[in-house]
Amino acid sequence: MTLGSDVSRLSTTAAGAAAAQGLSIVVPLYNEAAGLVLLHGRLVGLARTLKARYGLASEVVYVDDGSADNTLAIARTLDADALDIQVVSLSRNFGKEAALMAGLDHARRGAVLFMDGDGQHPPDMVEKLVSHWIDDGYDVVYTAKAHRDNESFLRRQAVHGFYALINWGARQKIPEDAGDFRLLSPRAATALRQLPERNRFFKGLSNWIGFRQIRVDYEPAPRAHGVTTFSPGRLIGLSIEGLTSFSVAPLRFASLLGVLLAISAFLFGLTILWEVWTTGKQVPGYPSLMIGLMTIGGVQLIMIGIVGEYIGKILSELKARPIYFVAEHSEKCADGETSASATERTAAE
């Protein structure tokens, strides 16, 4: 039994892989009806450019993550002009990580590109990402925000603290400000598909697989419609999910905090003994006792909560539930062929 995976058979030249296998563009959608037609038009133009420059065949995989508006209805009507279209409708809102995995599972071309459906990931920049793959031979081309000058000081510090904590003691660091907008070569996409965990942190996993990687800085375009669904509370939840799914840093932090507390309590005890020994006076115990009990109790509750998060992840992995269910899957080919299926499917298909 081997505990690794050999993807060397896919390590062909980038240009050869491009001509033979093409590019799948995975776009998760959640209530993006207002801008979907415009986005699709830009992707059609992109597909024509990639075909003319690299001979690269393209497809787009729209993953509707339980939208409450008519995103799915609009996606069904999009024309397969210059690129094939797959529309994957999940049975409910499973979250972005599950939608990304659904798109990866259904991608039929060699390389896979991930981008958001809100228009903030400019399709015009995709050509640069593809160039790094085909011309320069990189397996993972990821993007990162060039700056955060338009964000508040508190948010910038929170982001910096998150990456500092998740990278604390990690052998494979996650680049700060890296986003989900990235391209994976055929062998990188194959490697990512083989990771079995259900609690997924896409940014971390796509970096963990290794291979040749390069960072490309960009400035996100303003939203063409609507407002972001990522509230501060949801962002905090996603941060906790990412930390506990990909890193043991919180456990190490809890252990370090416990050690520091134990040392502080020991030194405080020595101080009391020294005062009794030198002056013969005993310190009144109620205030110090209550402060000590409250401190120890609070730290213990924090540690129990952190351990509980990891136990919850273990339970989720043991249950081995599918990451998502597909309620509807339709396909359109650029040559005019159409097929559709309303059969319920799972991530394991």
Side-chain angles (χ1 to χ4, degrees), residues 3 5 13 22 28 68 70 76 88 92 115 135 192 200 221 234 240 338 342-343:
L3 298 179
S5 179
T13 62
N70 60 339
R76 293 193 192 108
V88 179
R92 65 170 175 84
M115 62 185 300
D135 297 331
L192 190 60
R200 306 179 71 86
R234 189 175 179 186
I240 295 174
T338 302
T343 304

Side-chain angles (χ1 to χ4, degrees), residues 182-198:
R182 62 183 64 208
L183 182 147
L184 304 180
S185 72
R187 63 176 179 177
T190 299
L192 190 60
R193 286 188 184 99
Q194 295 182 19
L195 300 182
E197 57 259 46
R198 286 161 172 76

Side-chain angles (χ1 to χ4, degrees), residues 3 21 73 91-92 107 131 150 157 219 222 231-232 283 295 309 319-321 339:
L3 298 179
Q21 299 174 312
S91 61
R92 65 170 175 84
S131 175
N150 59 336
Q157 293 302 115
E219 293 190 20
S231 62
V283 180
T295 302
E309 286 284 341
K319 288 179 179 178
R321 292 174 180 171
S339 64

